Each structure stands twice: as C-alpha cells, then as structure tokens.
Amino acid sequence: MAREHHTKVLILGTGAAGLTAAIYAARANLEPIVIDGLEPGGQMTITTDVENYPGFADVVQGPWLMEQMIEQAGKVGTRFFSDIVMSVDLSRRPFEATGDGGDIYSGDALVIATGAQARWLGLESEQRLRGFGVSACATCDGFFYRGREVAVIGGGNTAVEEALFLTNFATKVSLIHRRDELRAEKILQDRLFANGKIEPVWDSVLEEVLGTDDPPGVTGARVRNVKSGEVSELNVEGIFIAIGHDPNTELFKGQLDMDEDGYIVTAPDSTTTSVPGVFATGDVQDKVYRQAVTAAGTGCMGALDAEHFLAENPAEAEAAE
Ligand code: NAP
C-alpha cells in the first residue's frame, strides 16, 4: 500500500552532492529524507581509483568512498529510501515526489541532486549491441575483455581514464577521437601517451558498431576519418562510449528554469532555483567543473540554503505554533 513520508528537507539523489546535503541537513536537525533513485551512490560508484578527492593520501576506490558517505549520512540521522521518483510537484509547499510504487515523499524544502548520466552516440548499432559489447562503463565491464582488443570513443578525462583502466585487461585499446587533440588533463594525457597498449585514432568518428545478433556480440568498429573521409575497420570486441554526460533533469522540465542543455539554472553563488525552497546541487546544475568534490561543495551549499530558507519561511504547521 502506498505510504506518505514527510520531512523538512527532501533530497533526491545519493551522489556526492545529495549525501553531503544530507550530512549537513541532518546535523542541522532537519531530519532529511534521501531517495536514492536508479544509481545509488551516483557516478562515483562506476569509477575505480580516486586520487583527487581531498583527505586521502593514498588512492581510494570510488564505490568505497560513496559507501563511507552513505554511512556518515546515516550516522548523523538521515533517513534513506530506495525508490524511483516518477513525478514531482513543485507548484506548492510542501513539495511532493511520487515514487514508482505510489509512495509520496513531501518536503518543506527540496534539494535536487539527481546528477548526470552517460551520453550515447545515437547509432542504431550502438543501441542494439548495448550490453553485448557496447558499454559506457569500463569499470563495470572491462573485466570481460581480458586478452581482447577494445576501443574507447572520446577525448575527455573519462575516455582517457577508461582507456588506461582497460589496459589492465585488453591487449590493445584504440582511443578514437574526433579531433587531433585531447580535452583530458595533461597528467592523464602523459599517462596515456606513455602506455604502449593504447593507440590513438585521431580525427575519427565511429560510424557503425559491427557485430552479430545471434548470439549478440561486437566483432568490430567501422571508423571514418573526418579529414580524409577514409573508412576503416578495427577488430575490436568491446566498444566503450565516453563522450560526456547529460543532466538528469527530465522530472523537473516545465517546473524549473533550465538552460539550453537541460541543466537547472541557479542564482550566482547559490543553489537557489527559480522556485523558492527548491535547491539544485551537483551535476544537475554544474556543467563546468563536474567533480565529486565540487558536487559535495554544492551539496553543502544546498543544505545551508535550505536551512536559511526554512528559518525564514517555516512550514504552515510550525508558523501557527
Ligand atoms: P567531456 O569532458 O565533456 O569530454 C567528452 C569528450 O567526448 C570530448 O573529447 C568530446 O570531443 C567527445 N565527444 C562529445 N560528443 C561526441 C560525439 N557526439 N562524437 C564523438 N565525440 C564526442 O566529458 P567527460 O570526459 O565525461 O568528463 C566530464 C567531466 O567530468 C569533466 O569536467 C571532467 O574533467 C570530469 N572528470 C574528471 C575526472 C578526474 O578528475 N579524474 C575523471 C572523469 C571525468 P571534443 O573534445 O571534440 O569536444
């Protein structure tokens, strides 16, 4: 039977932003409820080595770091619910989120921390063979390519990190990039160029994933050089798409101001959105920095903004006391 759950601060998402918001809101006695959604722990759970999150002299693992954050948020009083939010109503307070089983979660303030998800190229063959050799997560699927050849598409930090990670398993990794210059940080580029197993394929795009349907599997990549027009085929059995992310903001369309890429617009130096009492944190509102540590920082801001908002705009029941 569907149930109702009320809190002062409702938080959607359990990545670094949502969990930091939860820690701060719980320590401010706001008894937050956090709903974890489709990817509990967020994008950090599909990464491996993390060496740029401050506080750890030695490399830590992304999933471990998120487990620690979840435990920390729970210890200070956060209530967690595993549910998929299907709709939200931001037209009045308390704001409401409805889960896929019909449960209703309401909050006097709402902190959105639903993050972002991997982007796909949109090729028919890519979608058909997704999960059968085409992946957006080397950490999740790299293990299956021991002793095989694979390709990674993209030229950013994610693509380079995935290519490096895949050299632990694959015999050869082709990094297919549409330009002749990488966007990734220099330290990662240096590691990439020093790794004999990785071969960059410059100025090239993936035209088609070659594969079989029965049983489903990838047998190659048809690649086109955008300068010469030349088409070639690579003998790879795995293709990892690493071309960036899109914000998970579909739920809020038409209710909050967003930019042309679907990111929620927040006021400068604040997590305030176009609806008073609704705050956006992490990758749903940041397309510039997009780091776990910046997501955590804006999560903290979201909780503090919610706390100030509730102090100035108490819920009706409290105002009447
Ligand atoms: P990104 O920086 O946006 O890079 C996306 C890459 O994919 C770019 O090289 C882009 O090419 C290419 N691309 C985009 N659309 C394409 C298409 N349709 N066809 C072919 N190529 C396409 O995304 P990201 O690498 O996922 O990184 C996202 C954010 O997370 C960044 O801020 C990054 O710094 C951060 N990050 C940090 C770490 C770390 O610090 N360790 C690790 C992972 C990610 P162009 O270069 O030509 O635009």
Side-chain angles (χ1 to χ4, degrees):
M1 203 182 76
R3 291 174 303 165
E4 292 190 16
H5 317 270
H6 180 73
T7 173
K8 289 178 186 142
V9 180
L10 179 61
I11 299 170
L12 305 184
T14 47
L19 292 170
T20 308
I23 291 164
Y24 274 78
R27 295 191 76 257
N29 274 343
L30 295 171
E31 297 160 349
I33 283 179
V34 175
I35 307 177
D36 58 13
L38 280 173
E39 195 175 61
Q43 291 181 66
M44 291 282 275
T45 58
I46 55 167
T47 193
T48 46
D49 292 356
V50 177
E51 58 185 7
N52 56 8
Y53 198 89
F56 305 97
D58 295 321
V59 170
V60 294
Q61 298 299 302
W64 176 85
L65 185 57
M66 300 320 291
E67 276 166 31
Q68 292 295 310
M69 284 193 209
I70 289 170
E71 210 175 310
Q72 187 180 358
K75 274 189 182 159
V76 290
T78 304
R79 285 179 289 162
F80 287 97
F81 287 85
S82 286
D83 207 340
I84 313 293
V85 173
M86 304 306 285
S87 64
V88 294
D89 182 357
L90 309 184
S91 64
R92 63 196 152 77
R93 282 217 298 158
F95 306 112
E96 281 187 2
T98 305
D100 73 344
D103 278 18
I104 292 177
Y105 306 87
S106 61
D108 300 326
L110 175 68
V111 176
I112 297 170
T114 46
Q117 60 181 309
R119 199 177 282 160
W120 297 94
L121 290 166
L123 301 170
E124 185 276 326
S125 52
E126 168 198 58
Q127 294 310 310
R128 186 163 37 85
L129 291 166
R130 214 169 121 176
F132 299 103
V134 176
S135 167
C137 177
T139 313
C140 320
D141 303 325
F143 184 76
F144 302 119
Y145 297 93
R146 191 174 290 280
R148 300 169 184 209
E149 293 189 17
V150 299
V152 175
I153 318 295
N157 277 351
T158 305
V160 172
E161 282 193 342
E162 300 228 323
L164 287 165
F165 177 71
L166 285 163
T167 61
N168 292 323
F169 312 100
T171 49
K172 181 179 168 191
V173 180
S174 300
L175 183 79
I176 301 168
H177 183 37
R178 62 185 177 183
R179 295 187 293 133
D180 61 1
E181 192 184 355
L182 296 171
R183 179 183 293 276
E185 287 166 15
K186 180 150 186 327
I187 184 171
L188 288 174
Q189 293 200 28
D190 290 346
R191 283 181 206 160
L192 178 107
F193 293 130
N195 192 312
K197 279 189 176 177
I198 302 177
E199 187 174 305
V201 182
W202 299 117
D203 298 313
S204 296
V205 292
L206 179 67
E207 263 201 343
E208 193 180 347
V209 179
L210 306 172
T212 52
D213 287 329
D214 191 18
V218 169
T219 55
R222 182 173 299 138
V223 173
R224 180 172 50 85
N225 184 298
V226 290
K227 286 193 173 152
S228 67
E230 192 188 326
V231 174
S232 56
E233 286 182 11
L234 300 176
N235 286 324
V236 292
E237 292 178 66
I239 297 182
F240 293 84
I241 313 291
I243 59 168
H245 294 84
D246 288 317
N248 294 321
T249 52
E250 198 61 37
L251 273 176
F252 314 104
K253 284 215 167 110
Q255 302 195 62
L256 291 176
D257 286 354
M258 294 183 194
D259 70 9
E260 65 283 3
D261 296 320
Y263 287 83
I264 297 172
V265 175
T266 49
D269 303 324
S270 156
T271 61
T272 306
T273 68
S274 53
V275 173
V278 177
F279 304 94
T281 65
D283 286 8
V284 288
Q285 53 88 51
D286 169 21
K287 59 177 172 188
V288 179
Y289 303 105
R290 295 183 290 190
Q291 304 300 304
V293 68
T294 50
T298 57
C300 162
M301 289 165 64
L304 296 178
D305 287 344
E307 189 184 345
H308 293 152
F309 173 82
L310 291 172
E312 284 168 17
N313 303 273
E316 268 174 32
E318 287 171 35
E321 280 172 11

